[in-house]
Amino acid sequence: MSRAFDTNLQFLSGVGPRRALLLQKELGIHTLGDLLSCYPFRYIDRSRFYAIRELHPDLGYVQVRGRFTSMSVQGVGPKKRLTASFTDGVSEIEVVFFQGIKWIQEKMKMGTEYVLFGKVSLFNQSMNMVHPEVEPPQIDTLQGSASMQALYPSTEKLKNNGINQKFFSRLMADALAKSSGQIAETLPPPLIRRFSLLSRSEALTHIHFPANSNLLSKAQQRLKFEELFYIQLDLLKQKALRLSTRQGQCFIKIGAHFDHCYRRLPFELTNAQKRVLKEIRSDTGSGKQMNRLLQGDVGSGKTLVALLSALIAMDNGFQACIMAPTEILAQQHCASISKLTAEGPTTVGLLTGATKRGARKKLLDALSDGTLHLLIGTHALIEEKVQFANLGFVVIDEQHRFGVDQRARLWNKNEAPPHILVMTATPIPRTLAMTLYGDLEVSVIDELPPGRQPIKSLHFNDNQRLRVFHFMKEQIRAGRQVYVVYPLIKESEKMDYKNLEEGYAVIAREFPPPQYRTSVVHGQQKSEDKAFEMKLFVEGKTHIMAATSVIEVGVDVPNASVMVIESAERFGLSQLHQLRGRVGRGAAQSYCIFMTGHKLTKEARQRIELLCATQDGFEIAEADLRLRGPGDLEGVRQSGIAFELKIADLARDGQLLELARNAAAKVLEEDPMLQNPQNALLNTELQRLHQEVADYSRIS
Ligand code: ADP
Ligand code: MG
């Protein structure tokens, strides 16, 4: 980047050491380059004036034109405030100031026309504006005719030090003037031409001072494209590197292991399962190492696809393993897989923390001499002592519970790394998957096996509990089983247990033994106790399973047809969806009941309404992304996107992301390692972005 971009902010007018430090501390702005890429979060149309009676809090920033009719000071000390009435001739709004009271009293004249610019809020049932910017009617906009005014992120501290929107605007104008003619282009000219993008310099000008909404959107497009393009370029380059350096096992044959199991299947594979199986076959037959993410809603039949793929590995002389996040899940996988492979050539073993010494030794011996074909287990599989004769295929279930380094340890269990299939039931929106797992291939099972009845989802509040109990009893009488789930509070397992305890006391009173029997499962139990309680429920010996959200992952009890989720407002969207997926696995009509308090926040209500309206995991995940943003989605924070997104929005810019990804792929197709001199710019930018991330993580 050019010299000017490294310039310290202090050289801008109005910025002394104090304000420079504040901008640094509050917004991470160190240099002129940082400042120019501090993009506005919104724009308001300053040619539009609202009538006061039109105002409501959802409008955000607005401007109104009118006169002050009265002003008075109340309170003393830090509580001191100035309240004024402001009218546009038709209606009135209250305006409140906590700071600069004296100055306002002296400067503002009653009866003179002003323009107020600020946010409307609702206070004591009436509309008011706190600390609006007050200006005389004809504002001199800095860039002539600009009517779209940019709004910048701000903090209390910044505002108290005079760094308000007006100041920002002046600062940006100065920064643009000082760097005029020196803003270097960061995208190669052919790309700019192909997508008709603005130059970087034009884009920066119009992002801060849009002459009109058309230019603003072109500026946004250009800057978003750049951001997404470099992320994709980085990911795809890493992937190309992996593919070119890592040889993979080549599975060519299909033989007895696969055929035997396939013939025993009591049903047809769904089209989605067939498609994914083909994708995996093509990867594993290519001679390159596969790294594939398999996404599919709970119950979509991922495990079966994984098993069939593993059997192909065995048909080619390799061993396979399936790693599950919990012991119960590993046991369930083992039981269902053993049924499918029974009376055939495939040997299957189960290794968990609970496996006894003698059994363990036999298992490990069979594994190292190659007589054991498929090992199913928990992360006990990663241990040093677990030595395969020839591991060719690894399945990792419920990926978000395993770290990247754990994945790596499995890779190293064979000289040539095995193929890896990571399965997740957390639907990840496509745009997010492309960014988070851009270096993995992604397969999606987007179809449930036929004959599943949709789950009826209902919302009840706490004082309708008796009706819910009544309904549970009806279902139990009809021979069904019921889950009751309590929220798990990560910060306090004790608290979490208390919730369950209280809930359990109510259940015990309402559903007394011997007529009703209840299993209790929570995070503080020893794993044997947990397994014991689970087993009772799985075998149908208990009617109710009262649990914290430990049951979220995987358990499969087709006879359980009712899921009651207590304090549902305290769960996230995806989590609720996962929990609901525990029912609806058998032939009976299933129900999910969301219990909440009477008073709900708007967001909580939206979440529950959405869940009652749809059962489509991807739709829910997209909504989750829109409502909470990518940072809060499960799994996103840990994995971390390579570069911070300053302007692109994964929830909204899906199409642009695809364009950017295709453009990056095309560049790499022609020049995989970016060695071509015409791609030198791309390399420099990638390095700079990596450097920026490194610097940033050092600072914070
Ligand atoms: P997932 O792992 O994706 O949650 P599973 O593989 O556990 O799903 O499958 C859920 C249930 O559906 C299992 O009981 C499985 O036997 C059954 N199943 C899988 N594929 C099919 C299919 N094509 N048709 C009918 N049932 C299927
Ligand atoms: Mg599963």
Side-chain angles (χ1 to χ4, degrees), residues 267-270 273 297-304 449-450 452 556 585:
F267 41 69
E268 266 283 293
L269 293 185
T270 62
Q273 283 173 317
D297 232 337
V298 275
S300 60
K302 296 183 293 295
T303 315
L304 186 61
R452 297 268 167 90
D556 195 6
R585 311 195 135 210

Side-chain angles (χ1 to χ4, degrees), residues 451-455 584 586-590 615:
R452 297 268 167 90
Q453 284 192 52
I455 301 166
Q589 171 66 57
S590 291
Q615 212 177 308

Side-chain angles (χ1 to χ4, degrees), residues 303 333 397-398:
T303 315
H333 280 329
D397 193 4
E398 304 296 349

Side-chain angles (χ1 to χ4, degrees), residues 95-109:
V95 183
V96 185
F97 297 91
F98 297 98
Q99 247 124 34
I101 291 175
K102 199 155 164 246
W103 187 86
I104 293 161
Q105 273 179 310
E106 279 165 13
K107 291 280 187 225
M108 299 298 140
K109 297 186 185 70

Side-chain angles (χ1 to χ4, degrees), residues 301-584:
K302 296 183 293 295
T303 315
L304 186 61
V305 170
L307 172 66
L308 290 170
S309 315
L311 291 168
I312 296 175
M314 293 165 216
D315 282 332
N316 288 272
F318 291 94
Q319 292 167 300
C321 68
I322 299 180
M323 187 157 82
T326 66
E327 202 159 319
I328 295 161
L329 209 58
Q331 279 165 5
Q332 279 206 342
H333 280 329
C334 185
S336 60
I337 287 173
S338 298
K339 245 188 255 161
L340 287 170
T341 55
E343 296 157 30
T346 316
T347 49
V348 181
L350 175 71
L351 179 72
T352 70
T355 309
K356 297 267 165 21
R357 269 257 287 287
R360 173 180 300 252
K361 178 155 191 324
K362 259 167 96 182
L363 211 57
L364 292 182
D365 287 348
L367 199 63
S368 59
D369 69 20
T371 44
L372 182 63
H373 300 125
L374 175 62
L375 183 61
I376 300 166
T378 53
H379 34 258
L381 296 191
I382 305 178
E383 285 167 22
E384 201 77 40
K385 282 166 288 182
V386 181
Q387 296 288 344
F388 292 80
N390 194 11
L391 179 63
F393 198 83
V394 171
V395 178
I396 303 178
D397 193 4
E398 304 296 349
Q399 174 265 337
H400 55 275
R401 314 259 156 146
F402 289 110
V404 176
D405 52 324
Q406 284 173 313
R407 245 196 277 167
R409 277 160 79 179
L410 277 169
W411 283 1
N412 299 331
K413 290 222 175 257
N414 201 350
E415 261 163 65
H419 298 294
I420 311 258
L421 183 69
V422 177
M423 303 195 288
T424 176
T426 311
I428 302 165
R430 201 177 138 63
T431 53
L432 206 54
M434 265 199 263
T435 325
L436 289 178
Y437 305 110
D439 63 330
L440 304 186
E441 325 292 332
V442 179
S443 286
V444 180
I445 302 188
D446 49 7
E447 182 187 354
L448 290 179
R452 297 268 167 90
Q453 284 192 52
I455 301 166
K456 282 205 173 116
S457 299
L458 305 159
H459 177 199
F460 285 102
N461 65 47
D462 289 336
N463 42 29
Q464 295 168 300
R465 190 171 301 277
L466 284 181
R467 275 178 68 189
V468 174
F469 284 155
H470 181 74
F471 176 71
M472 286 166 63
K473 283 177 187 163
E474 252 176 38
Q475 289 287 306
I476 292 171
R477 212 175 302 129
R480 314 264 176 274
Q481 290 165 284
V482 178
Y483 292 104
V484 184
V485 179
Y486 300 86
L488 178 121
I489 304 166
K490 287 219 182 74
E491 293 79 13
S492 149
E493 291 205 353
K494 281 220 180 74
M495 176 93 161
D496 149 35
Y497 181 54
K498 189 164 157 271
N499 263 314
L500 174 67
E501 236 182 357
E502 281 170 11
Y504 177 64
V506 177
I507 297 277
R509 208 164 48 227
E510 197 66 32
F511 297 87
Q515 193 187 355
Y516 298 102
R517 287 181 306 270
T518 302
S519 286
V520 183
V521 175
H522 57 84
Q524 292 198 311
Q525 260 164 340
K526 283 209 221 95
S527 71
E528 300 101 85
D529 297 344
K530 212 187 292 180
F532 179 76
E533 294 281 324
M534 281 280 200
K535 194 156 172 267
L536 289 178
F537 190 70
V538 171
E539 289 171 355
K541 292 182 178 143
T542 49
H543 302 108
I544 300 175
M545 155 99 70
T548 53
S549 46
V550 286
I551 62 149
E552 188 185 335
V553 182
V555 278
D556 195 6
V557 183
N559 190 48
S561 66
V562 182
M563 166 68 65
V564 178
I565 304 175
E566 291 284 347
S567 305
E569 68 269 36
R570 282 166 45 192
F571 292 91
L573 254 182
S574 297
Q575 213 183 359
L576 290 169
H577 175 66
Q578 295 283 304
L579 282 170
R580 174 168 60 183
R582 298 298 113 218
V583 297

